[in-house]
Structure formats: structure tokens, C-alpha cells
Amino acid sequence: EVQLVESGGGLVQPGRSRRLSCAASGFVFPDYAMHWVRQAPGKGLEWVSGISWNSGRIDYADSVMGRFTVSRDNAKNSLYLQMNSLRPEDTALYYCAKDFGMVRGVILGQFEFWGQGTLVTVSS
Amino acid sequence: DIQMTQSPSSLSASVGDRVTITCQASQDITNYLNWYQQKPGKAPKLLIYDASSLETGVPSRFSGSGSGTDFTFTISSLQPEDIATYYCQQFDNLPYTFGQGTRLEI
């Protein structure tokens, strides 16, 4: 059974940093692209970032470009999101999601499995 | 960015009803469209991929159709457990974008 467990959320002041983690199990994590998708309270879904299986391709939404950095450690079956210069509008539930693509294939941008999310609140 | 517009934003229906949600893309996305179900307090779940393919394990009362800019999501016979918000999502171009969601109530 695929499991994605996010952690690292919490209350953070504007301008500060936070690092989110996603622990994966139930599939061969090193073989698949991964994503971060967020959802502001009571709002819709917004794709944040994606990373290929080998970190050779990384994409970001314009809203986080230059502030957020996605990375992965395939030896630890883990995905990360380093969030710097946080703003109140970054307040959201952050989900990690497995891409629907082929083994060691290109990023498709389809979100096959999702974690339960970790809440980041940016407020003074 | 490709804008995805869902209609309606909310919908009330009865058990056994046929329910249809539409999604319009601001440009041609071929069939690069997915549908997700999000139940209250839960993570989204992929139901339909590539506009019309049913994800493994998803009941056959769910279906999708369309191509280009106009897409349709249908529940053939609404069940109580289908209460959720449904989202379309395009993956033709970066950034991947979602519709605003359709909240389905019974």
C-alpha cells in the first residue's frame, strides 16, 4: 500500500523559513517523480513544485519560484520542500503526491497518490 | 497559464440521480485532463485520468469524456458516499492548474 506522510508544518512568522518532509513507502520511491500541491484553508488546489525521479528536472509555480526549493533523497525514500521568505499567502495544507508516470520516466503532472498533508500557517 | 473553469460551483442532487460537471480549458489541452474527488477533511483522490480513463479501483458509475477545451465528468447514479468536492486538472502545460472545484451535496 502506497503511503505518503508529510511532516514539518506549523506556525511560522512572515519572512522566516520552514522545511517540509514527505516519507514514502509502499512503492519504489527512487523510480518516480514527485510533487508538492497546496490548499489554502477553504480554497482550491494549487500545484507548487515537481521533481523528476533523478532530480534532473525540477519545476516550480511562479508564486514560489526563487523562495521554495524541492529536493529528494532516494536513499531515504524522502521528499523535501525548503520554504524561505514565507508570506501569509503561503498559509496552506501542503500535500506531497506521487506522479502517475512510468518507472524512471518523464514527469506527467498527474497526481496518483496523495499524503494527508501538513499545515503551514504564516502569521505574526 | 491555462485557466480551468468548472461548472457549476456547487450542486445539490438526490441519491440515484445522474450528475454532470463540466470543465472548460482556456486553450486546447487535447486529453491531458484529470478528475479528482476530495471528501471533507481528506486528501484528493484521482478518479479519472487522460480525460476518460478510470483509475484502478474506482467504481464504474464515474466516467469522463471530452477533448480539446471542453470536458465532462459524470456520476451515473449518485451514492451517499459521493459527497465531496470534485476538481478537474490539466497537465498539458506548466504550471499544472486545477479548476475551482464543484461541491456536491445530497
Side-chain angles (χ1 to χ4, degrees):
Chain A
E1 177 190 5
V2 171
Q3 284 201 328
L4 299 168
V5 180
E6 301 91 339
S7 60
L11 178 63
V12 58
Q13 292 180 328
R16 303 298 293 267
S17 299
R18 199 80 173 185
R19 189 194 196 207
L20 305 183
S21 300
C22 172
S25 61
F27 67 103
V28 183
F29 177 80
D31 284 349
Y32 293 94
M34 297 292 295
H35 301 270
W36 289 98
V37 179
R38 68 185 180 183
Q39 186 170 34
K43 302 297 184 182
L45 300 165
E46 179 188 17
W47 172 79
V48 172
S49 180
I51 184 169
S52 64
W53 64 275
N54 62 352
S55 304
R57 174 180 161 183
I58 290 175
D59 301 308
Y60 296 101
D62 286 347
S63 58
V64 305
M65 185 84 71
R67 300 187 299 123
F68 289 12
T69 302
V70 65
S71 62
R72 62 190 297 161
D73 186 336
N74 285 344
K76 295 183 178 180
N77 287 347
S78 293
L79 177 72
Y80 305 102
L81 186 66
Q82 177 67 42
M83 304 184 296
N84 299 331
S85 302
L86 282 162
R87 306 166 179 168
E89 55 264 36
D90 295 318
T91 294
L93 187 62
Y94 284 75
Y95 295 103
C96 72
K98 174 186 175 292
D99 193 84
F100 197 43
M102 302 279 286
V103 169
R104 303 192 177 190
V106 298
I107 300 176
L108 292 186
Q110 299 174 283
F111 314 118
E112 184 182 15
F113 293 106
W114 301 60
Q116 288 305 303
T118 187
L119 181 62
V120 175
T121 303
V122 183
S123 175
S124 54
Chain B
D1 299 2
I2 298 176
Q3 307 302 317
M4 306 300 294
T5 303
Q6 282 182 238
S7 181
S9 296
S10 63
L11 173 61
S12 183
S14 299
V15 173
D17 282 355
R18 182 181 182 88
V19 171
T20 298
I21 299 169
T22 64
C23 179
Q24 185 170 58
S26 60
Q27 65 186 68
D28 190 336
I29 58 170
T30 321
N31 69 330
Y32 296 149
L33 183 105
N34 301 320
W35 290 95
Y36 299 86
Q37 175 193 63
Q38 186 176 32
K39 295 184 177 181
K42 300 295 186 182
K45 175 185 177 182
L46 178 64
L47 298 183
I48 303 287
Y49 63 94
D50 298 348
S52 59
S53 296
L54 195 65
E55 171 69 328
T56 302
V58 174
S60 59
R61 64 180 180 274
F62 296 100
S63 65
S65 64
S67 66
T69 60
D70 295 301
F71 301 87
T72 300
F73 172 81
T74 300
I75 306 174
S76 61
S77 178
L78 186 66
Q79 300 301 304
E81 61 266 31
D82 299 336
I83 296 307
T85 299
Y86 293 86
Y87 295 92
C88 61
Q89 176 244 332
Q90 68 81 20
F91 58 101
D92 183 55
N93 276 354
L94 285 165
Y96 310 121
T97 48
F98 293 84
Q100 81 278 16
T102 295
R103 184 174 178 180
L104 179 56
E105 300 173 338
I106 290 183

